[in-house]
Amino acid sequence: MNSEITPLFRAGGPAAHGAHFAMRFSSTPRGARLARLLVGQRLDAWGVPYACEAHDALTLIVAELAANAVRHGRVPGRDFHLAVTRNATAVRVEVTDTRAERVPALTTSPPTGDTGRGLILVDHLAHRWDWHPRADGPGKTVWAEYALPTGGRTVAAPAGREIGAPATLDP
């Protein structure tokens, strides 16, 4: 985990000058997919446009954390909760499920395995991530913070450039 890095969000709730989105989703693959799609739309509305590195990284972080909540945190009849907050310099993603006994941990999965890489991706993409027990009931919250490039400015990928290739900012 990247917990030794300076926090991008201060304790005490959503950023004072930011945007916040929160919603409950069914603990199913369809719920995880809907969470990813809605966050993608919300990020675009918040100025993190489609086809930029930050948008792609954040939607992948949401997809992995939501998929983990469905796969490892599911309790029949219970939903998972997603909260996304953007401030001037970063985006924080929080996914809460109702299973306290299955805590997230980085593992090394066999190269031929079909699963086990979600948190490795989150660890690679996020500025920092961690988890904590759910404050208002059984379960846990897994969160990740993504630092937006250049003080919150994002750049769409130019036509023909692969996503993930280095982007440059025009003055």
Side-chain angles (χ1 to χ4, degrees):
M1 286 181 275
N2 297 323
S3 58
E4 71 279 355
I5 298 172
T6 305
L8 299 172
F9 282 78
R10 300 287 176 221
H17 295 63
H20 184 72
F21 169 75
M23 190 172 198
R24 292 197 176 281
F25 295 91
S26 64
S27 290
T28 63
R30 179 180 240 170
R33 179 178 178 269
L34 181 59
R36 178 182 53 85
L37 292 171
L38 289 176
V39 168
Q41 290 177 337
R42 190 59 54 123
L43 289 169
D44 185 59
W46 290 344
V48 183
Y50 289 102
C52 76
E53 187 175 328
H55 190 281
D56 293 343
L58 284 160
T59 54
L60 182 55
I61 289 168
V62 168
E64 294 300 336
L65 294 183
N68 283 350
V70 168
R71 179 174 281 230
H72 305 293
R74 184 177 185 275
V75 172
R78 300 288 178 115
D79 297 336
F80 72 90
H81 183 262
L82 169 75
V84 181
T85 305
R86 183 192 196 282
N87 68 18
T89 61
V91 176
R92 181 180 174 103
V93 176
E94 297 180 349
V95 176
T96 303
D97 64 50
T98 53
R99 274 193 91 177
E101 74 278 6
R102 300 206 54 191
V103 299
L106 282 176
T107 60
T108 55
S109 61
T112 57
D114 290 338
T115 62
R117 293 179 188 83
L119 283 179
I120 294 170
L121 290 170
V122 171
D123 187 60
H124 176 73
L125 294 170
H127 185 75
R128 65 190 207 120
W129 73 273
D130 205 349
W131 73 276
H132 57 81
R134 185 174 163 196
D136 59 349
K140 65 190 169 299
T141 298
V142 182
W143 57 266
E145 293 177 352
Y146 181 89
L148 294 171
T150 319
R153 286 181 58 203
T154 57
V155 177
R161 185 180 72 77
E162 279 187 43
I163 300 302
T168 56
L169 290 173
D170 294 327

